[in-house]
Amino acid sequence: MSPREVLEILKIAERLKDTTRHCYTSKGRHESVAEHTWMMSLIAFLIKEEFPEADMNKVLHMIIIHDLGEAFTGDIPVFEKNNAHEKKEEDLLMNWLETLEPYKQKEMVSLLEEMKERKTLEAKIFKAIDSLEALIQHNLSSLDTWIPLEYDLQKEYAWDRVEFSSYFKELREEILKDTLEKIESK
């Protein structure tokens, strides 16, 4: 890939630094999509020994590209996102991917399809990390930033995404403990 092509891709990806999510940081400002991706990457790094049979480099690649579509649409919280939003994001991303070199386009499309199907261990790990990171970030943020539906969402969300792994189930339990402690301290 030529240096110019790298710079053109980074010009699009850089938008994610300013694309805010519904989540807040512990200091009270909206988190960016790029910060979410960074935290997910750190989680993958920290837990890689728990999944010796997984290709954690592939998981990291999934994490890096998973929200690129939001560079075109912005972030829509999980509790607001519908099929029309997902289709628009996917269409805009695929249109942009067509401008990339064929080998890079093929690699990204393959990863995106694998993530969407969620059949491989790597895709399941990726999705668990994606879902749990949002819960973790909510627990780190002030309760003042939570909207009413998040009290239940923090308790109910992502259990289906951790079913494949005893490690992730335990991590989800610990997140729930933090959630309940946070709510009780109100």
Side-chain angles (χ1 to χ4, degrees):
M1 178 172 286
S2 76
R4 176 53 43 203
E5 289 167 318
V6 169
L7 292 174
E8 292 302 318
I9 291 170
L10 294 177
K11 187 186 303 182
I12 298 297
E14 189 271 343
R15 295 175 187 174
L16 297 177
K17 290 181 178 184
D18 290 318
T19 302
T20 56
R21 293 169 46 84
H22 173 72
C23 294
Y24 286 80
T25 67
S26 60
K27 291 190 176 182
R29 70 169 173 75
H30 276 284
E31 169 191 47
S32 74
V33 173
E35 290 168 318
H36 163 67
T37 299
W38 172 80
M39 186 72 92
M40 287 177 62
S41 300
L42 182 58
I43 293 168
F45 173 78
L46 294 172
I47 68 168
K48 65 185 176 183
E49 286 82 10
E50 301 299 329
F51 299 94
E53 68 281 17
D55 180 350
M56 291 305 278
N57 282 330
K58 182 186 259 191
V59 172
L60 284 167
H61 291 167
M62 291 175 173
I63 289 168
I64 290 166
I65 70 165
H66 86 284
D67 276 339
L68 279 174
E70 293 181 7
F72 304 100
T73 62
D75 179 68
I76 300 170
V78 68
F79 50 83
E80 292 178 6
K81 200 169 202 174
N82 60 37
N83 289 340
H85 293 128
E86 289 178 9
K87 173 125 178 58
K88 181 180 179 180
E89 182 179 317
E90 184 176 335
D91 289 348
L92 290 169
L93 178 59
M94 291 303 164
N95 288 339
W96 176 68
L97 288 177
E98 288 177 10
T99 69
L100 303 182
E101 287 187 10
Y103 80 94
K104 194 53 67 182
Q105 175 190 357
K106 183 179 178 182
E107 180 182 13
M108 286 191 187
V109 168
S110 176
L111 285 168
L112 290 165
E113 287 173 2
E114 187 175 339
M115 289 186 289
K116 190 175 183 178
E117 291 174 1
R118 267 190 253 156
K119 292 181 181 174
T120 66
L121 177 60
E122 290 79 10
K124 290 175 183 178
I125 292 170
F126 150 75
K127 196 58 182 177
I129 291 171
D130 186 29
S131 301
L132 295 179
E133 191 282 333
L135 296 170
I136 294 165
Q137 189 59 52
H138 270 75
N139 281 344
L140 295 172
S141 67
S142 170
L143 277 175
D144 296 343
T145 65
W146 290 25
I147 60 175
L149 69 84
E150 289 174 313
Y151 286 82
D152 287 333
L153 197 60
Q154 279 293 111
K155 297 174 194 170
E156 299 165 4
Y157 184 65
W159 290 102
D160 59 329
R161 295 175 181 177
V162 300
E163 275 302 310
F164 73 97
S165 161
S166 60
Y167 181 82
F168 275 124
K169 286 190 272 189
E170 184 179 342
L171 179 57
R172 181 62 183 96
E173 288 285 346
E174 291 298 319
I175 293 167
L176 178 59
K177 287 178 189 175
D178 289 350
T179 296
L180 296 175
E181 282 180 25
K182 186 172 201 71
I183 291 170
E184 289 171 13
S185 72
K186 185 176 178 182

